[in-house]
């Protein structure tokens, strides 16, 4: 039976029956714990961490964060998550909110910038981004009727401040940089972009959805990290996903602002209906309590020492994977990454054909237009040798590419 033709069930099934079906079906799904999957799940590879998140998630599963005054523990946890994030990234404690993920955080930041631009009389606001900016910016612009000007990156994969300077003008509501961008894992020149925003009296957003919860610890491990957070004058908002390198389960991000006045542009308050005053801080109405509790428990459980421990494993894994790729003459890393995310291609072969063999050998490397994408989680340090030998074999022996497309998201 085609899954578009499923009739509404006449009678309910037992929980055991449902669980049995799901367990057996799921056995065919990608095993993210194997270390052979990338990007969609961040594998911490620590049992106690996983158990804690499962327990806390179940504990707050039914609670609704729509009205925080009804669930005071949720309200406290959410405020503390925002305050802890603010202390990590250098913004005031009550100038941010949790959202469901990077896309929502970015949507909110673009909306805030649009409102600020409208307040100063701009009828058709625009934002400036590099071509490597996450599609969430295009999506936000699409929904919010804002123009996105996409500027090409340099040979190192980074945004070029000069190109931004050529396009900035009175309609510019927001200058955007990534820390780092998803395709190549490089950090845009945030100090230059933010300075440009200041000179032109406009706002600057840093998309640290991917790097926000890793870079502070990466830097403490002695890695060279370009300044990218609120320590940089001119950065006015920042998005950082706790469900990525923050190591919470899905549905947890923060959007932070340089001051509370900017945050208030995102608030929505309405009383023109019979149901009483309706106020919400983000795009969602009803919100699950689970990601709030999960985020609070994760940050509290790991602390600086835990995040450093995991960052060290990510660093080891990244070095191992990059060394494996560099040891194969035909392969090259597209742009030297600033973190644990990068693309690699081949000088000689069709990289997609190499990707096909890696698929057959049980690896789930994401495809991009120019190569294969790698995103290292703590658990990947265990599979470096397997990766190196499978990759060597794939380069040495592969056929024609099967034509698998680079697909990042999907609609059904
Ligand atoms: C740099 C960057 N920004 C934004 C996002 C969007 O995050 P989400 O998928 O949580 O909406 C991602 C997702 O990978 C990302 O890598």
């Amino acid at each position: 039976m085609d899954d578009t033709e499923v009739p509404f069930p006449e009678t309910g099934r037992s929980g055991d029956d449902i669980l049995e079906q799901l367990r057996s079906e799921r056995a065919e799904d990608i095993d993210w714990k194997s270390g052979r999957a990338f990007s969609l799940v961040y594998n911490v590879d620590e049992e106690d961490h996983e158990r804690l998140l499962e327990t806390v998630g179940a504990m707050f599963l039914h609670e609704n964060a729509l009205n925080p005054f009804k669930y005071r523990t949720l309200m406290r946890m959410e405020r503390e998550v925002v305050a802890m994030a603010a202390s990590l990234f250098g913004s005031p404690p009550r100038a941010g909110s949790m959202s469901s993920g990077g896309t929502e955080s970015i949507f909110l930041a673009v909306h805030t910038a649009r409102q600020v631009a409208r307040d100063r009389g701009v009828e058709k606001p625009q934002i400036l981004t590099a071509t490597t900016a996450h599609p969430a910016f295009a999506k936000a612009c699409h929904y919010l009727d804002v123009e996105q000007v996409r500027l090409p990156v340099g040979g190192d994969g980074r945004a070029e401040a000069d190109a931004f300077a050529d396009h900035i003008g009175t309609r510019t509501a927001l200058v955007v940089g990534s820390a780092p961008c998803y395709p190549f894992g490089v950090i845009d020149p945030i100090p230059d972009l933010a300075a440009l925003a200041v000179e032109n009296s406009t706002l600057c957003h840093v998309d640290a959805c991917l790097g926000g919860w890793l870079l502070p610890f990466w830097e403490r491990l002695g890695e060279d990290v370009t300044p990218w957070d609120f320590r940089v004058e001119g950065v006015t908002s920042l998005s950082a996903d706790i469900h990525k390198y923050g190591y919470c389960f899905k549905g947890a991000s923060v959007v932070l602002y340089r001051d509370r006045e900017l945050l208030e542009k995102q608030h929505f308050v309405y009383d023109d209906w019979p149901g009483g005053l309706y106020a919400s801080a983000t795009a969602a109405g009803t919100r699950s309590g689970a990601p709030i509790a999960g985020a609070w428990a994760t940050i509290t459980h790991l602390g600086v020492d835990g995040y450093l421990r995991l960052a060290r494993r990510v660093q080891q894994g990244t070095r191992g994977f990059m060394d494996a790729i560099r040891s194969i003459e035909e392969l090259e890393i597209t742009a030297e990454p600033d973190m644990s995310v990068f693309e690699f291609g081949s000088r000689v072969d069709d990289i997609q054909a190499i990707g096909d063999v890696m698929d057959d050998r049980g690896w789930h490397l994401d495809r991009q237009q120019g190569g294969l994408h790698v995103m290292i989680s703590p658990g990947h340090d265990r599979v470096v040798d397997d990766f190196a030998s499978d990759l060597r074999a794939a380069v040495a022996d592969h056929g024609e590419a099967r034509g698998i497309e680079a697909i990042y998201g999907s609609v059904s």
Side-chain angles (χ1 to χ4, degrees):
M1 183 168 47
D2 164 338
D3 66 6
T4 57
E5 288 173 12
V6 180
F8 194 85
E10 285 300 332
T11 49
R13 284 163 61 192
S14 74
D16 285 346
D17 192 28
I18 290 170
L19 289 177
E20 196 185 307
Q21 179 193 337
L22 291 180
R23 279 194 198 103
S24 82
E25 218 176 296
R26 198 162 170 264
E28 304 294 313
D29 291 346
I30 293 178
D31 174 14
W32 54 267
K33 288 190 186 187
S34 67
R36 288 172 172 249
F38 300 85
S39 84
L40 295 173
V41 176
Y42 293 70
N43 179 13
V44 171
D45 195 33
E46 290 185 353
E47 259 326 283
D48 58 341
H49 183 105
E50 274 174 41
R51 293 292 87 77
L52 174 67
L53 289 200
E54 285 160 13
T55 309
V56 161
M59 207 184 255
F60 287 88
L61 191 60
H62 301 287
E63 300 193 3
N64 188 344
L66 172 61
N67 183 345
F69 299 107
K70 300 276 188 203
Y71 291 104
R72 290 194 172 267
T73 311
L74 279 182
M75 179 169 73
R76 176 192 58 74
M77 287 192 289
E78 183 161 26
R79 284 189 176 166
E80 288 189 16
V81 167
V82 171
M84 291 187 283
S87 81
L88 189 62
F89 306 131
S91 58
R94 293 195 62 235
S97 47
M98 279 191 73
S99 80
S100 61
T103 301
E104 189 183 357
S105 289
I106 287 167
F107 177 87
L108 294 167
V110 173
H111 173 268
T112 292
R114 188 192 73 174
Q115 294 309 100
V116 171
R118 280 188 178 168
D119 291 350
R120 64 176 157 86
V122 178
E123 276 177 28
K124 290 189 172 300
Q126 64 172 205
I127 67 168
L128 305 184
T129 76
T131 46
T132 48
H134 191 273
F137 288 97
K139 189 174 181 179
C141 287
H142 172 71
Y143 282 143
L144 293 166
D145 194 22
V146 168
E147 183 195 0
Q148 180 187 16
V149 179
R150 295 168 66 253
L151 299 164
V153 294
D156 59 2
R158 293 185 179 81
E160 294 196 302
D162 287 352
F164 279 61
D166 289 344
H167 286 83
I168 202 162
T170 49
R171 285 177 54 214
T172 309
L174 191 65
V175 171
V176 174
S178 303
C181 70
Y182 176 90
F184 306 126
V186 297
I187 303 178
D188 289 329
I190 304 298
D192 299 342
L193 298 179
L196 198 61
V198 172
E199 271 166 43
N200 289 274
S201 307
T202 191
L203 303 179
C204 173
H205 180 80
V206 176
D207 176 12
C209 286
L210 187 48
W213 293 86
L214 179 60
L215 288 172
F217 309 102
W218 205 241
E219 197 176 345
R220 287 180 212 203
L221 293 182
E223 296 279 350
D224 194 13
V225 176
T226 311
W228 57 276
D229 61 12
F230 285 102
R231 287 173 294 178
V232 179
E233 194 201 334
V235 170
T236 49
S237 59
L238 184 150
S239 46
D241 294 352
I242 316 171
H243 65 204
K244 295 194 170 74
Y245 284 104
Y247 303 121
C248 180
F249 51 80
K250 306 294 175 277
S253 172
V254 284
V255 56
L256 304 174
Y257 295 95
R258 187 166 283 280
D259 55 50
R260 191 164 164 92
E261 208 182 319
L262 280 173
L263 170 72
E264 283 170 2
K265 302 278 177 200
Q266 129 188 340
H267 290 170
F268 181 78
V269 182
Y270 183 83
D271 64 3
D272 196 9
W273 74 318
L277 181 72
Y278 179 96
S280 62
T282 59
T286 285
R287 290 186 301 143
S288 167
I292 295 172
W296 183 85
T298 305
I299 301 167
T300 312
H301 173 62
L302 289 176
V304 170
D305 53 351
Y307 278 110
L308 271 175
R309 179 177 70 244
L310 297 176
R312 218 169 272 122
R313 289 190 66 185
V314 172
Q315 188 187 42
Q316 282 303 108
T318 304
R319 286 182 183 161
F321 272 64
M322 287 178 72
D323 287 349
I325 292 163
R326 286 203 180 107
S327 72
I328 302 171
E329 210 189 315
E330 292 88 335
L331 301 183
E332 63 186 348
I333 291 168
T334 311
E336 186 63 28
D338 289 314
M339 221 180 72
S340 48
V341 177
F342 57 90
E343 178 192 270
F344 69 97
S346 171
R347 295 184 188 89
V348 185
D349 301 292
D350 183 341
I351 190 67
Q352 305 300 345
I354 294 170
D356 292 344
V357 179
M358 292 301 276
D359 285 356
D360 295 342
R361 288 176 172 251
W363 296 92
H364 300 278
L365 293 160
D366 290 311
R367 316 256 176 159
Q368 303 202 126
Q369 274 92 345
L372 302 176
H373 189 259
V374 178
M375 183 181 290
I376 301 294
S377 291
H380 286 120
D381 62 354
R382 290 192 284 108
V383 297
V384 168
D385 292 343
D386 292 348
F387 176 78
S389 66
D390 281 347
L391 188 60
R392 193 165 284 282
V395 172
D397 186 13
H398 57 81
E400 293 281 305
R402 291 198 286 255
I404 296 175
E405 286 177 67
I407 295 178
Y408 179 69
S410 165
V411 289
S412 62

